[in-house]
Amino acid sequence: MFVLALGLAGCGGQKPAEPAKQTVLKVGSDTAYAPFEFQDEKSKEYVGFDMELIQAIGKQIGAKVEVQSMNFDGLIPALEAGNIDAAISAMTITEERAQKVNFSKPYYKSGLTIVVKSDNSAIKGFKDLEGKKIAVQIGTTGADEAKKVKDAQIREFNTAPEAFMELKAGGVDAVINDRPVNDYYIKEAGGKDAKQVGDPLTSEDYGIAVAKKNTELAEKINKAIDELKKNGEFDKIYQKWFGT
Ligand code: ARG
């Protein structure tokens, strides 16, 4: 819960005020989505662009960030149930989601691409996916996009790495997923035998989601993003994860 737990001053003014407890910001994320959110193998800490951004936002608003890892399709229900205060998870701002939650201002421009095995010369773009087997992560815009493909057999996985594994194992012909995550997979995370094909299928903006009624927190997050952009910290984090 996002509560300001301030130490109450003693009624009679005799007792010294208790030290103010720090506000906690409970943040949900599907932490298997490098380079946005993933677990560092050594430290076991959650790292990535989103993770550093939310820590910086926490500092701005004076809250201690506690990240809870959960399935991507559980994030909006968790916000609605009040189990978390915010979700940062490379989550695309969509009209459908915006009916259920409040999004911050956009903080990252993304889009979907198709990933196939390097030796696949049959799939060069969206049209070629017709009748093919496609792996996606459940509840994502990639899953929505795959459903538009004629006669495709769609295999839905809880996490993006599982979808990539299925491609590697030859169980599917393609994966539809967010471009920066596909880039990272191919360059850094074991996808040497895979490639991206065609133009990006969509243009999408990521936002941080909070509960529908929590406009106050959404505003604080927006102000924090503005401040981090002004003071150069946003750029620093961006350069660290996406700079060349
Ligand atoms: N941007 C896509 C969406 O909003 C995929 C996000 C998946 N995020 C994750 N952490 N697995 O649907």
Side-chain angles (χ1 to χ4, degrees):
M1 261 22 43
F2 191 77
V3 273
L4 266 176
L6 296 170
L8 290 175
C11 296
Q14 315 288 54
K15 271 194 283 172
E18 279 175 35
K21 285 200 202 105
Q22 206 188 2
T23 309
V24 169
L25 186 67
K26 278 202 214 163
V27 176
S29 184
D30 165 32
T31 53
Y33 213 59
F36 292 96
E37 40 263 338
F38 59 109
Q39 200 167 25
D40 182 77
E41 275 171 30
K42 270 204 211 129
S43 70
K44 299 290 167 213
E45 272 176 37
Y46 297 128
V47 296
F49 178 74
D50 283 351
M51 296 294 100
E52 287 192 20
L53 179 60
I54 199 69
Q55 289 294 344
I57 288 171
K59 240 182 235 157
Q60 281 293 329
I61 65 182
K64 183 180 182 310
V65 171
E66 281 178 11
V67 175
Q68 272 180 42
S69 188
M70 52 183 81
N71 282 347
F72 186 76
D73 67 346
L75 291 169
I76 290 181
L79 283 172
E80 288 177 318
N83 295 336
I84 52 173
D85 303 308
I88 187 163
S89 203
M91 189 184 281
T92 301
I93 301 171
T94 67
E95 254 173 58
E96 200 188 333
R97 289 171 183 163
Q99 280 169 15
K100 298 183 189 153
V101 296
N102 248 313
F103 278 107
S104 70
K105 55 176 62 185
Y107 69 87
Y108 186 92
K109 236 188 191 357
S110 189
L112 296 167
T113 57
I114 301 165
V115 183
V116 297
K117 284 278 196 69
S118 307
D119 59 4
N120 183 326
S121 52
I123 299 173
K124 296 193 185 72
F126 190 76
K127 277 202 316 293
D128 309 318
L129 290 173
E130 217 176 291
K132 295 284 192 287
K133 291 190 199 125
I134 307 169
V136 294
Q137 183 181 13
I138 297 175
T140 60
T141 51
D144 292 342
E145 195 67 15
K147 285 169 194 158
K148 296 180 191 160
V149 179
K150 218 175 136 224
D151 300 326
Q153 292 177 49
I154 301 165
R155 304 270 316 275
E156 298 191 278
F157 293 89
N158 271 324
T159 67
E162 287 168 281
F164 287 131
M165 263 194 276
E166 193 64 9
L167 178 70
K168 210 186 221 355
V172 291
D173 304 294
V175 171
I176 300 182
N177 186 48
D178 298 27
R179 177 189 42 77
V181 175
N182 297 339
D183 284 341
Y184 189 90
Y185 168 66
I186 291 165
K187 284 198 212 110
E188 319 270 350
K192 298 261 182 301
D193 57 345
K195 64 179 179 186
Q196 288 178 89
V197 291
D199 293 326
L201 306 171
T202 56
S203 167
E204 306 184 7
D205 284 312
Y206 294 166
I208 298 165
V210 305
K212 195 83 203 168
K213 54 181 184 300
N214 206 348
T215 45
E216 197 188 319
L217 179 57
E219 255 165 56
K220 280 188 186 168
I221 290 174
N222 278 341
K223 273 207 194 113
I225 292 174
D226 286 344
E227 187 52 36
L228 295 169
K229 285 202 168 166
K230 239 194 280 159
N231 72 16
E233 215 173 315
F234 184 94
D235 266 1
K236 233 168 72 191
I237 301 171
Y238 187 95
Q239 281 306 318
K240 173 168 172 191
W241 292 98
F242 304 108
T244 39

